[in-house]
Amino acid sequence: MIKFLKRLLFSLIIFILLVEFISFFLNKFDNTEIFKTRIFTEKTNDGRMFTLKKNFNHNQSEIYEGEKKNWQIYTSEERIRVGTSKKINTKNDIFLFLGDSVPFGWGVDYENSLPFYFQKLNQNLNVINGAIPSYSLNQAVERFFIEFKDYKNLKYVYLQIYDPAPIYALLGDKWETEHNWVTLHKYIFRENKIIDLSIPLYGQLYFQKFLKKKIYRIKIKKLKQIKTSQKSEFKYLKHIDDNINRIYNYLNERGVKLILTPIIVPNKSFENLDNQNKKSIILLNKTFENFAINNEGVEFFKISDKLIFDSKNFIDKCCHLSEKGASLMAKELNKLIKLIIN
């Protein structure tokens, strides 16, 4: 009996090692990225989850309307997007852009982005692009406190974000505040009862890593929209309000103006959205606007109809500004700043 158990144990160990060996190579050839970072970003062990790499140059390409488009991404020592000169003026008052791919300038060179055009109109300001593609509201706020809160001469903080709206619209009543573009896999694994197992001194099994990738690939394509409820809507609105309050309280104590900017979706694209997605956007934008109305030191940047109704102002059907759109928005923002000053 003892010999049998020994043989069984030995066979089991050999089988596990064999499976691990095969899984190791399968993972090498499986490029599925569960944690969605980009080539110009790197993971962090904090609420940001990821941030920009230092001094990184990258030629990015995407397909728009069947045509391949290339643009450059340059980052500085301070992990912010900059132009080809990479020069940063630290003497003037600082205007900080926070948010996701829209203020970042996704799809265009830095010289055709909103921060660049706004800088051209305000040579007396030091404009810093602190936005990162795929960031959610709480990630943008976390990045501010970790990377920007100690900046001297900070006078304005511009905040524009899309997530949590689309993730809330997708997950509905099962949406949690931890869910965003990056952590969507946690929802998928929890719903499919996938438990993380880690062996001391070894870590996670390669077989488990391969299995998770396979499940993720299959389930992400089959995700169906879940209806929202009054309870989930309350949680959603509270999450937005809590994050704005967090950054506002810090800025207000220091006399820094907060500018809240709504989600911009081209009119035709908005009309094609389902009602739940429309509502999630409207609720986020309305929360931003109400916060500005009810708090001193906060401005709501109302986007003009001539921007959102003209498709030429966008490079895609989502929300990313074209050269024309970025220039127009910079002029509108400049009008707001002049009103604040006066």
Side-chain angles (χ1 to χ4, degrees):
M1 183 66 179
I2 295 176
K3 288 184 178 181
F4 172 76
L5 290 175
K6 285 182 178 180
R7 288 176 182 173
L8 182 62
L9 180 60
F10 180 76
S11 299
L12 183 60
I13 291 173
I14 294 298
F15 175 75
I16 293 173
L17 290 175
L18 180 62
V19 170
E20 275 294 274
F21 181 76
I22 295 172
S23 298
F24 171 80
F25 283 100
L26 288 175
N27 275 290
K28 288 290 184 181
F29 293 101
D30 189 336
N31 295 319
T32 303
E33 183 61 73
I34 294 175
F35 190 108
K36 293 184 178 179
T37 54
R38 302 179 188 271
I39 192 170
F40 49 86
T41 62
E42 60 187 22
K43 296 180 183 179
T44 62
N45 294 317
D46 51 50
R48 294 171 297 172
M49 299 183 189
F50 61 91
T51 190
L52 290 183
K53 292 178 179 177
K54 290 183 178 181
N55 301 315
F56 192 79
N57 299 342
H58 174 62
N59 182 38
Q60 182 72 33
S61 63
E62 296 281 330
I63 303 295
Y64 295 111
E65 303 294 331
E67 182 179 346
K68 186 176 180 180
K69 186 176 181 181
N70 299 305
W71 72 97
Q72 294 290 327
I73 296 175
Y74 296 93
T75 68
S76 70
E77 177 70 21
E78 296 81 9
R79 301 181 187 277
I80 60 176
R81 190 183 185 190
V82 292
T84 52
S85 67
K86 296 189 177 182
K87 291 182 180 179
I88 299 175
N89 181 0
T90 57
K91 295 180 180 179
N92 294 346
D93 289 343
I94 294 175
F95 188 105
L96 173 65
F97 281 90
L98 282 181
D100 53 22
S101 54
V102 176
F104 179 83
W106 186 256
V108 296
D109 290 328
Y110 188 76
E111 289 73 16
N112 298 129
S113 68
L114 169 60
F116 178 84
Y117 286 124
F118 183 71
Q119 177 72 88
K120 285 184 70 176
L121 296 171
N122 294 273
Q123 297 298 321
N124 61 318
L125 290 175
N126 172 23
V127 176
I128 293 178
N129 188 342
I132 297 182
S134 299
Y135 253 22
S136 62
L137 175 58
N138 61 305
Q139 284 176 283
V141 172
E142 282 292 330
R143 189 182 192 210
F144 171 79
F145 281 102
I146 293 173
E147 299 186 40
F148 302 122
K149 74 178 180 65
D150 295 324
Y151 272 30
K152 296 179 180 179
N153 304 325
L154 185 63
K155 295 299 179 183
Y156 304 95
V157 173
Y158 170 107
L159 177 61
Q160 183 181 24
I161 210 78
Y162 199 162
D163 187 347
I167 304 300
Y168 170 64
L170 174 63
L171 301 183
D173 206 35
K174 290 191 175 183
W175 177 83
E176 299 292 343
T177 57
E178 67 170 4
H179 292 142
N180 53 44
W181 293 119
V182 179
T183 61
L184 188 57
H185 67 279
K186 291 185 177 181
Y187 167 79
I188 293 174
F189 294 150
R190 185 172 66 244
E191 289 297 302
N192 290 277
K193 297 179 173 57
I194 303 299
I195 302 172
D196 279 336
L197 296 175
S198 185
I199 300 174
L201 303 178
Y202 182 78
Q204 194 174 97
L205 294 171
Y206 285 106
F207 174 72
Q208 186 183 25
K209 291 179 181 178
F210 175 73
L211 183 63
K212 287 169 68 176
K213 287 181 178 181
K214 187 172 181 62
I215 291 172
Y216 180 80
R217 282 199 309 273
I218 295 172
K219 297 298 181 179
I220 193 70
K221 295 177 181 179
K222 296 182 178 181
L223 269 182
K224 293 182 179 180
Q225 189 181 70
I226 300 168
K227 289 185 178 180
T228 60
S229 65
Q230 286 187 336
K231 183 179 179 181
S232 65
E233 185 174 308
F234 175 81
K235 186 193 302 182
Y236 173 64
L237 295 176
K238 186 176 184 301
H239 174 69
I240 298 169
D241 199 60
D242 286 349
N243 276 280
I244 304 174
N245 256 310
R246 186 184 172 203
I247 192 170
Y248 167 70
N249 290 335
Y250 182 89
L251 296 176
N252 192 48
E253 288 180 1
R254 291 155 180 81
V256 181
K257 181 73 71 174
L258 176 62
I259 301 170
L260 299 175
T261 305
I263 297 171
I264 308 171
V265 179
N267 187 58
K268 289 184 179 179
S269 297
F270 185 80
E271 291 302 319
N272 289 329
L273 292 174
D274 60 77
N275 290 333
Q276 195 156 293
N277 267 285
K278 287 180 182 177
K279 187 177 181 181
S280 69
I281 292 173
I282 292 171
L283 286 173
L284 186 145
N285 289 347
K286 196 63 181 176
T287 303
F288 272 27
E289 185 173 16
N290 288 339
F291 193 93
I293 292 172
N294 297 322
N295 292 277
E296 293 184 4
V298 186
E299 294 289 337
F300 182 72
F301 179 27
K302 292 184 178 180
I303 309 301
S304 65
D305 288 345
K306 61 183 178 181
L307 176 69
I308 62 175
F309 283 103
D310 188 346
S311 60
K312 293 181 180 178
N313 294 321
F314 301 87
I315 62 171
D316 54 22
K317 295 179 180 179
C318 169
C319 47
H320 299 113
L321 298 170
S322 64
E323 178 182 349
K324 179 184 175 184
S327 177
L328 175 60
M329 194 162 174
K331 292 176 183 176
E332 296 289 323
L333 180 58
N334 189 51
K335 292 178 184 178
L336 175 62
I337 295 302
K338 289 189 178 300
L339 286 174
I340 294 173
I341 295 173
N342 296 330

